[in-house]
Structure formats: structure tokens, C-alpha cells
Amino acid sequence: MKLVVVGGVAGGLSFAARMRRLDESAEIVVFEKGPYPSFSNCGLPFYVGQEIPARESLLLNTPQSLQAKLNLDVRVNHEVIGLDAEAKTVRVCGADGREFTEGYDKLILSPGAKAARPPIAGLDSLRVRTLRTVNDAQRIVDLAESARSALVIGGGFIGIEAAEALARRGINTTIVEGGAHVMPPLDLEMAHLVTGALQSLNITVIANTRVTQIRDFPAHVLAELSDGQCLETELIVLAAGAIPATEPFVAAGVRADERGYLEIDQHGRTSLPDVFACGDAVTQQTGVTGMARPVALAGPTNRAARLIADFIADPKSARPLPKPISTSIFRVGPMTVAQTGANRAELDAQGIAYRTIHTHPTDHGTFLPGAQPMQLMLHFAAADGKLLGAQGIGGNGVDKRIDVIATAIKAGLTAPDLIDLDLAYAPPYSAAKDPVNFLGYVAENVLRGRLKLWYAEEVAHLDPGTPVLDVRPIPEFNAGHLKGARCIPLTELRSRLDEVRTWVDGKTVYLSDDTGANAWTAQRILESAGINAKVLSGGVNTVFAYYFDNPGAVLEM
């Protein structure tokens, strides 16, 4: 059996390596468009930022080592430019520029994606670079040696990591993001905290703005923005999203969506016989909402490539490709940002009824010095509590909490099931009530109707006559509270119930504090006294994050 693989790196080479271990007799040919068949894409920003000192550290395998270890015929600088599915051949442009055809029994497409190129005049300037290959990274490093300022177009994963890398080199760096906030997959309050973390690294963030023109000068370029600003810079990193590198395969009849992402079934098969696909160039049905969309993450790509090899080797026993839940993580300075499952936009688009909770735990017990705060947000189904998604930001421990929730989502657990997870505890690592367990406590109270919540997005739209009660100590209240709020510290609430009853006059009390924990106790006190009350999810801390651009609109500080 002859297997032709289009593209190396995570998808193509994971397939080829697995296939070789399953079938020693197979002929496996890998065509890689670039010079490096196996390198760490994810490590590129860290090389730019000088955390990886040597470019060679990014290179994992060579054609020679892959031939020696796995008997793979890896041909670099070979681009597949055509496909004839009926003849079962691909057309290839070789390293010498000459074209030839190669036959196959099975064809595996892992062509990846390329940087999107928005319609910006002057985008062809030599000072504009992408960050998707080793050579891309080297070109940025070369320009960065003499750059005093840099502009990053796009505030997604690559844009943020590139911006941090440039800032680490002492370069004044600005991110221009066309959307409402950086990291569009994050919900608003979490994304705003990412903006704050970027600003703490002296990175300027300009959202809701686009680069409209780039004007070239001998020693710099001038970027004109849609808001009228003009930024002079010596280096621009283009990170405004990606598009699949699938043109020749779509032209050959592989079914794709309107953007060119290839459609595959549960075993990686495309619409053409004996043609499979995986990686950044395909859509997959996600595990939470069932939406079909690209999931450009290394983990799902590696797993899919392995399972396609299993299916080709033994179709009867192969497991289907898992439905990804899009677990991801990145760093901004000392902060870790992670997410899993669906965000609000996905849930709303699918019409899924859900509830959201916010908590503000620390990574370990506060009695042990060095405890670091984090903010966690959890989405779960309104009807049965099924886990739908989570996001977190903070110092130590965010990664393991999101990983635990990702595992719980995969297992089909509900939010209250988080209470029963038997997680490791010792004071340097956690609290006796782990932040994941605590999310379960809060969610169960919500689902049982004990805890009634209101949210940061409601703050700006409250009726002026709504009674808002802050239950923090007066010094904390004075440091920053919701406009129009009255302060009655929690420790005084029981003795001042008559005062509250007269003030609210039968209305529901909207409670607030710093994180929601004390307001929850206050709600129980008030409802025991016959006074309806709601708790601000995540407290004033979450309100500040939600209204990060203009907290003064809703807070008196």
C-alpha cells in the first residue's frame, strides 16, 4: 500500500509515524512545502522573544532522521498543487521547480493554513511579516534587532504571543484588533483581563480598529488606522487570522465549507474516495455544541492523525475521531489564560439555555504565603447542569483547574458533579475546597434555586429605583462600589433587617460585594427574613473586568 501525505509537522508526520508502526511494509511519501518537515510551531514566539535561544531547538526531525528511524520518504520544498482523485495521483512542484505526478493508494491531506491577508494597501512591505514558519520567525528576529517599535495586526493567540515576545526584547509594541476585544474566543470579562495583563507589559491594545493602509519609508512604515491614528513603526507582524491552504483540493472536488475548510467524517474521510484530511485545514463537529468549525490546536490534530492511521490499518477496530472541546491555554507575562468548551457566543448561536457563574479563588490556602488569585467562569446547562464551558485567568494553578473541567466535560459530568471530584490537596497546591469543587458548590446552589444571580452586564441598565446593597466593610465599599449602592456590612445585616425592609419596600434587593461569597450569605439572611434578593455573580471584581474600558460608567471609585 502506498500512502501519500501532504504536509508534515503535527498532522502529516503524526499520521506517518503511527502508520509506520502499524504497517512496516507500507510505502509512505510525505510532501512538505517548506524546508522543515518537523518543527515546533508553538515555539516560534518564544524564539522571537529570546526564551528559546537557538533556532535549532525548534527543529525536531530532519528528512534524514525520519528516513533512518521510520523509513519515511520525506521530500521537503515540494508543494502539492493538484489532485486527480479518479486517477489517484497528485501533481507536485518539486524543489527544482519542475512538476511531476505521484500516485497513491491512500491520500492524507494535512496542508495546514496560511496567514489571512486583509485588504490593506501596502501589505506587501518587507517590514510586514507573518509568524507561521521557522523562516518567518527568523525574519522577524532579524528586523527586531534594530526595531524600536512594532505593530501586531490581530489579537488572537499568535498576535498576543508575538506581542509579548517583542515586548520582551524591549520593543514598544502595539496590538491592533478589529474585534471588540483581544482573544475573540474568550467572553468579554475574561478578554478584558487579558487586555489588562498586556498593558502591564507595556503593550498598547487598540480594539475595534483596523489597519487601513501601510505606507513604506526607507527606515520605517506608517500604519494608518480606521480611527484616524497613524503609527510609525519598524516592524509589523500580521496575525489577523488564518485561511486553509486547500485550494487545489477544493478545485479537485473535495467538499469544503464556504471558507475552504475541508469536511471530514468521523474517521477523517473526505468526500472523495481514499482521501483523508486532518489539522488546521478541516472542520470538525465540536463536542459541546455540535457546531462544525475548524479547531486549530495541536492536540486535536495529533489525535486525529493517529486515529486516521488506525482506521486505514484496521477499519473494523478503529475508534472514531473524538469531538474536540477546544481546550487551550496561553501566557501573558506572569498570567495564565485558559479555556475549554463553549463560550457565550457559541451557546447563544445554538440556542442552548445555560447559566453562568464567576468565582475568585486562590491557587492554594491563603494561610500559606504566596497564594495567587485567579478568576474562573463556568457555563452549564440551565436544565440539567451539564458542563458546557469554562475560562480562567490568574497566576499559578489555572492550567490544572481548566484541565480538570475539560476532563469532566469529556466525561459528560454535570456542574454539581464537580463537588465530588477527589482532587489532590496539600497547602502548597490547593485548598481543602479546591477551586473546581467550589465551582460545583456554587452551581448546585444555582440549579436548586437557592442562589439567585444577577450579572455584570445588567449593571449599566438597572432601573434607578432598584435597591442595590453592598455588604462589604465600609473601607472596602469606599474603595469602589456600584453607583447608587448603599452599604450595610454583612456583620451588621441581621441587626438592621427592619431598616432594609423599609428601604426596599417589597422590591428585590440586588446584592454586591467583592467576589459574591459574602453576598451569598447576605441573600440567605434576607430571604430568611422574607426579603427577596439576588447576588451579583463574581461581585464588583467581575464588574470591573466587564467594564474595563470605562469602569467609571458604573462604579464610584
Side-chain angles (χ1 to χ4, degrees):
M1 178 168 55
K2 182 176 181 179
L3 301 148
V4 170
V5 183
V6 179
V9 201
L13 282 183
S14 290
F15 167 83
R18 176 65 171 175
M19 196 70 222
R20 170 58 69 227
R21 295 182 182 109
L22 296 176
D23 187 348
E24 180 63 23
S25 65
E27 181 184 356
I28 304 174
V29 179
V30 180
F31 291 116
E32 167 54 44
K33 178 180 178 180
Y36 305 111
S38 177
F39 66 92
S40 174
N41 306 69
C42 302
L44 297 177
F46 303 96
Y47 171 63
V48 173
Q50 300 177 307
E51 294 178 82
I52 296 175
R55 188 171 92 163
E56 289 67 31
S57 300
L58 298 168
L59 308 180
L60 307 177
N61 286 287
T62 65
Q64 295 74 23
S65 66
L66 291 165
Q67 173 67 52
K69 290 189 294 185
L70 295 169
N71 191 24
L72 302 178
D73 180 1
V74 179
R75 306 181 198 175
V76 296
N77 299 311
H78 280 61
E79 182 179 5
V80 175
I81 57 175
L83 164 63
D84 185 337
E86 187 173 344
K88 301 189 82 168
T89 61
V90 291
R91 191 166 79 257
V92 185
C93 181
D96 57 5
R98 288 184 289 184
E99 296 183 11
F100 63 93
T101 60
E102 187 87 17
Y104 65 84
D105 295 310
K106 306 285 185 184
L107 176 65
I108 295 80
L109 304 177
S110 183
K114 54 190 177 183
R117 294 181 64 83
I120 301 171
L123 201 60
D124 292 329
S125 168
L126 294 178
R127 293 186 180 273
V128 179
R129 295 298 180 187
T130 57
L131 184 54
R132 301 193 69 86
T133 69
V134 175
N135 286 341
D136 287 342
Q138 188 60 56
R139 293 184 186 106
I140 292 173
V141 168
D142 293 342
L143 283 170
E145 293 290 346
S146 59
R148 295 166 298 169
S149 64
L151 172 64
V152 177
I153 301 176
F157 286 106
I158 295 175
I160 287 176
E161 291 181 339
E164 180 177 355
L166 294 168
R168 281 178 169 268
R169 300 179 71 103
I171 298 172
N172 293 323
T173 304
T174 298
I175 295 175
V176 174
E177 165 58 41
H181 55 73
V182 296
M183 281 307 298
L186 291 177
D187 288 315
L188 183 64
E189 56 268 52
M190 289 293 175
H192 280 168
L193 293 173
V194 174
T195 295
L198 289 165
Q199 290 174 346
S200 72
L201 300 177
N202 294 318
I203 296 170
T204 301
V205 177
I206 305 173
N208 271 320
T209 307
R210 299 182 182 278
V211 177
T212 58
Q213 183 173 354
I214 298 168
R215 296 168 57 195
D216 230 334
F217 294 89
H220 67 274
V221 291
L222 195 66
E224 299 179 6
L225 309 187
S226 58
D227 64 0
Q229 293 187 71
C230 290
L231 304 180
E232 181 181 309
T233 184
E234 292 83 29
L235 166 62
I236 295 179
V237 177
L238 178 61
I243 56 174
T246 57
E247 294 94 333
F249 314 114
V250 174
V254 178
R255 187 180 300 121
D257 69 8
E258 66 280 1
R259 297 164 297 175
Y261 288 98
L262 307 180
E263 297 177 3
I264 58 173
D265 70 4
Q266 64 178 347
H267 293 294
R269 292 175 292 194
T270 71
S271 58
L272 296 182
D274 295 318
V275 179
F276 298 75
C278 65
D280 292 3
V282 308
T283 60
Q284 287 185 263
Q285 190 180 54
T286 55
V288 173
T289 67
M291 292 177 66
R293 62 176 179 81
V295 179
L297 297 167
T301 295
N302 277 282
R303 290 189 288 274
R306 175 188 175 93
L307 288 170
I308 290 171
D310 288 354
F311 179 78
I312 291 174
D314 186 2
K316 292 182 180 180
S317 65
R319 293 184 296 114
L321 274 60
K323 296 178 180 179
I325 57 174
S326 303
T327 306
S328 61
I329 191 167
F330 62 98
R331 185 194 70 188
V332 186
M335 305 294 280
T336 296
V337 188
Q339 59 185 333
T340 188
N343 58 21
R344 287 192 188 101
E346 291 177 277
L347 297 171
D348 291 340
Q350 295 300 103
I352 297 172
Y354 62 96
R355 302 297 303 272
T356 302
I357 58 175
H358 305 79
T359 61
H360 301 262
T362 54
D363 66 312
H364 64 69
T366 54
F367 56 84
L368 186 69
Q372 297 185 24
M374 67 179 79
Q375 299 201 32
L376 297 175
M377 180 169 65
L378 184 73
H379 301 309
F380 53 92
D384 58 8
K386 182 181 177 182
L387 290 167
L388 301 174
Q391 298 170 27
I393 182 171
N396 295 332
V398 171
D399 53 344
K400 83 171 182 178
R401 271 73 193 200
I402 295 299
D403 279 346
V404 168
I405 296 170
T407 304
I409 291 174
K410 179 66 178 176
L413 301 186
T414 67
D417 288 331
L418 299 180
I419 298 171
D420 303 323
L421 297 182
D422 193 355
L423 304 175
Y425 163 65
Y429 302 102
S430 183
K433 296 178 180 178
D434 188 89
V436 172
N437 299 135
F438 198 82
L439 284 168
Y441 297 143
V442 177
E444 184 187 48
N445 285 329
V446 171
L447 288 166
R448 289 182 176 271
R450 298 190 189 106
L451 174 58
K452 301 177 179 67
L453 295 175
W454 67 292
Y455 293 94
E457 54 263 42
E458 299 178 58
V459 173
H461 308 289
L462 285 179
D463 185 279
T466 302
V468 180
L469 178 60
D470 194 307
V471 296
R472 291 175 293 170
I474 289 175
E476 293 181 22
F477 173 83
N478 288 338
H481 58 268
L482 302 182
K483 287 186 175 180
R486 179 180 296 194
C487 181
I488 298 179
L490 179 63
T491 53
E492 301 176 17
L493 186 57
R494 290 182 177 86
S495 64
R496 297 173 65 178
L497 287 173
D498 288 341
E499 176 187 338
V500 174
R501 192 175 287 109
T502 301
W503 169 47
V504 304
D505 191 25
K507 296 178 181 177
T508 297
V509 180
Y510 282 58
L511 293 164
S512 71
D513 61 358
D514 52 353
T515 66
N518 286 330
W520 155 238
T521 302
Q523 182 201 316
R524 303 306 296 165
I525 294 170
L526 292 176
E527 296 207 336
S528 294
I531 302 170
N532 291 327
K534 293 182 177 181
V535 172
L536 177 60
S537 183
V540 171
N541 286 0
T542 296
V543 170
F544 184 85
Y546 193 89
Y547 296 93
F548 182 82
D549 292 334
N550 185 20
V554 295
L555 295 173
E556 295 180 19
M557 303 168 65

